[in-house]
Amino acid sequence: MSYCLHSESHLDTGPIYVRENGKLHVVNQGAGGIQDVTPKTRPFRLFSRSFSVELCMNREDDRARRQRTDHFIFTYTKEGNLRYSAKSLFSLVLGYISDNVDHIDSLIGFPEQIAEKLFSAAEARQKFTEPVTGLRALQKFTEAYGSLVLCSLCLRNRYLVLSEKLEEIKSFRELTCLDLSSCKLGDEHELLEHLTKEALSSVKQLLLKDNSLSDAGLRRMTAPIRVLKKGLENLLVLDLSCNPKITDVGIGYLLSFKKLNCLDISGTGLKDVDAVIKRIQMQIGLVHSKVPLKEFDHSNCKTEGWAEQTVLQWEQAVMEAIKPQDNLRSRTAALRFYGKTRRIEEVVKCTVVEAETKASGNLQFYKEKVQNYHLPLKKEVAGSHELKNNRKRALAEQERERTSKQKHLCLTVEDWDLLNTY
């Protein structure tokens, strides 16, 4: 007790009371004695007089502080004053979900209007360019909305984008137009097998110009529709020009596309061009065109859908990745007489393609529109002629089916292995 009385402390602990012989006494610290007086009531102090309170609202890191500024919209008035207003709750929630779009379980049944805004927000944050999470997020949208995400895809001369983003491209569903011209696919590319899947059964326009395709590639691409009657059954326009390894045998695989309206096989390695023209006209009903068709000028094919900007982001990322190689190549070309060698190679290549195209001629085919003009007085005569023609066609079709069945029964081991993959 004496220690407590004589110890020096800078804190004001208030009055000290001591009970002695049944009486309560107050200790006078200044005089060092005990006074037997009735204590005065004083308010109880929890903290010292020097205690202060500080509001720690800005103790977060700089990154969180920067993110918090996204909740406001800053604008300038005409007078030059800076004003800010808070964003709506919808915008804040949309931004949060787009930042974590790869964690969405499913979007099936979600409203299309909100999904489009969510896709645009994630696209602005370049979420679909990320290697793993971007593919997972893109698959959620394509599974739910199909052609709205992308209905037409043009990858002409973009073989680098095709090789780098192959899985993302394979995730697109319900495409109606697909341009793969000059993408260096070859016969063994896995995208050819993907073309026969159910996800791309809606393709109506397929452009495979200058892809080093041969008869083996066409056999692989047409196997499902030839045998299983599924795959590219809705195909209307097909471009196989500038593929010199395609011969008369490969053209026979194309006869299974009964809905074709336009076909381009210019620049292929046909041996008997007249026989191929007659065969196509008799079995598919396509007429050889004397003038170039507008369906094959590549002007109507373009990328359309929500993911249009996403494809451009992929292309920009690929171009930035190969930019050092281009600089090195340009320096090498400058050393070799300022690029003369490269120009000569391109001219020789173009000359070869043009020579092959001229050798086979302009082999573009189209389907004529049938116009029925039957006079009322000649209905019976026209009906009898139609019956005769129908009988002839039926007999011819039965003969073709019989011969085709014989051909299909004699499947090779490669055909069986190919069909087992579907």
Side-chain angles (χ1 to χ4, degrees):
M1 178 176 176
S2 62
Y3 174 76
C4 294
L5 292 174
H6 298 286
S7 63
E8 294 180 1
S9 177
H10 65 282
L11 297 176
D12 184 12
T13 58
I16 299 175
Y17 298 93
V18 178
R19 182 176 294 277
E20 194 175 274
N21 297 326
K23 295 182 179 180
L24 187 64
H25 304 277
V26 62
V27 177
N28 189 0
Q29 297 181 4
I34 301 176
Q35 297 179 2
D36 187 8
V37 295
T38 304
K40 296 180 180 180
T41 59
R42 295 178 59 186
F44 182 71
R45 187 184 299 274
L46 293 176
F47 304 100
S48 62
R49 294 177 180 177
S50 60
F51 180 80
S52 62
V53 179
E54 181 181 1
L55 296 178
C56 302
M57 298 180 62
N58 296 325
R59 296 294 184 181
E60 300 175 352
D61 56 352
D62 295 337
R63 182 179 177 183
R65 193 173 301 145
R66 285 194 299 268
Q67 290 180 352
R68 192 168 57 250
T69 59
D70 295 340
H71 297 174
F72 303 97
I73 302 175
F74 296 91
T75 56
Y76 284 94
T77 61
K78 295 181 180 180
E79 294 78 10
N81 299 324
L82 181 63
R83 290 185 179 180
Y84 67 92
S85 58
K87 289 185 179 180
S88 62
L89 181 60
F90 176 79
S91 300
L92 298 179
V93 174
L94 193 67
Y96 177 78
I97 298 176
S98 60
D99 288 332
N100 303 275
V101 68
D102 55 301
H103 297 290
I104 296 177
D105 292 333
S106 178
L107 288 170
I108 298 176
F110 199 68
E112 298 175 358
Q113 295 82 357
I114 308 300
E116 184 178 2
K117 295 181 180 180
L118 179 61
F119 190 93
S120 300
E123 190 178 54
R125 290 166 169 80
Q126 296 188 354
K127 301 296 292 186
F128 301 114
T129 59
E130 300 176 0
V132 180
T133 58
L135 174 60
R136 185 163 58 246
L138 187 62
Q139 288 175 347
K140 300 301 180 182
F141 282 95
T142 54
E143 289 174 358
Y145 304 104
S147 60
L148 292 177
V149 179
L150 209 65
C151 62
S152 178
L153 178 60
C154 180
L155 294 175
R156 185 169 63 252
N157 296 320
R158 295 183 176 94
Y159 54 90
L160 293 177
V161 178
L162 180 62
S163 60
E164 291 293 329
K165 298 294 181 180
L166 180 59
E167 295 300 325
E168 286 82 354
I169 292 171
K170 290 169 62 177
S171 66
F172 292 123
R173 296 168 176 262
E174 300 180 9
L175 289 174
T176 57
C177 181
L178 182 58
D179 190 353
L180 299 173
S181 302
S182 304
C183 284
K184 303 179 181 180
L185 295 180
D187 295 331
E188 301 297 330
H189 202 281
E190 57 181 307
L191 189 58
L192 289 179
E193 181 181 351
H194 181 68
L195 289 174
T196 60
K197 300 295 183 180
E198 185 179 358
L200 292 182
S201 60
S202 59
V203 173
K204 297 181 179 180
Q205 186 174 0
L206 181 60
L207 307 178
L208 296 173
K209 179 180 180 180
D210 189 18
N211 273 287
S212 302
L213 297 175
S214 65
D215 298 340
L218 295 185
R219 181 176 63 85
R220 183 181 183 185
M221 188 177 67
T222 59
I225 192 172
R226 285 189 291 111
V227 181
L228 304 177
K229 304 301 179 182
K230 66 177 184 179
L232 297 171
E233 66 269 14
N234 296 317
L235 193 61
L236 300 178
V237 179
L238 179 60
D239 185 3
L240 294 173
S241 59
C242 299
N243 290 290
K245 295 182 180 180
I246 296 178
T247 63
D248 304 30
V249 179
I251 301 301
Y253 297 134
L254 303 178
L255 301 179
S256 57
F257 296 126
K258 302 298 183 181
K259 295 183 180 180
L260 270 183
N261 289 334
C262 297
L263 175 64
D264 189 0
I265 54 175
S266 305
T268 55
L270 302 180
K271 297 180 180 179
D272 193 350
V273 178
D274 295 333
V276 171
I277 293 175
K278 292 180 180 179
R279 190 178 181 185
I280 292 176
Q281 185 172 1
M282 291 295 296
Q283 298 191 19
I284 309 182
L286 300 181
V287 181
H288 183 213
S289 178
K290 302 298 181 181
V291 296
L293 299 176
K294 63 179 181 179
E295 285 79 5
F296 302 109
D297 59 0
H298 300 275
S299 61
N300 297 327
C301 185
K302 57 184 178 180
T303 303
E304 294 180 351
W306 296 352
E308 180 179 354
Q309 296 298 323
T310 302
V311 177
L312 293 178
Q313 291 176 0
W314 293 346
E315 186 177 1
Q316 292 175 359
V318 171
M319 295 303 295
E320 290 178 358
I322 65 173
K323 190 176 294 183
Q325 298 180 4
D326 288 342
N327 294 335
L328 180 61
R329 190 182 305 168
S330 62
R331 288 195 297 268
T332 306
L335 293 176
R336 294 181 180 179
F337 301 101
Y338 301 98
K340 290 183 179 180
T341 305
R342 183 179 179 184
R343 285 199 297 270
I344 291 172
E345 291 176 355
E346 292 179 353
V347 171
V348 171
K349 184 178 179 180
C350 294
T351 304
V352 172
V353 174
E354 289 178 358
E356 293 174 351
T357 305
K358 290 180 180 178
S360 59
N362 182 24
L363 296 179
Q364 294 182 353
F365 300 85
Y366 68 98
K367 181 171 290 186
E368 289 182 334
K369 295 181 180 180
V370 180
Q371 296 179 354
N372 295 324
Y373 295 104
H374 298 296
L375 295 176
L377 297 178
K378 297 183 179 180
K379 278 187 177 180
E380 296 180 357
V381 178
S384 62
H385 285 298
E386 287 181 359
L387 289 175
K388 291 180 181 179
N389 292 332
N390 290 333
R391 290 176 183 175
K392 291 181 180 179
R393 290 174 184 172
L395 293 174
E397 288 179 358
Q398 290 177 1
E399 185 67 22
R400 290 171 194 163
E401 290 180 358
R402 187 163 52 246
T403 55
S404 63
K405 286 180 181 180
Q406 292 177 358
K407 291 181 181 179
H408 293 323
L409 289 175
C410 300
L411 295 175
T412 61
V413 179
E414 296 179 355
D415 289 334
W416 285 113
D417 294 338
L418 182 61
L419 292 175
N420 289 329
T421 59
Y422 296 98

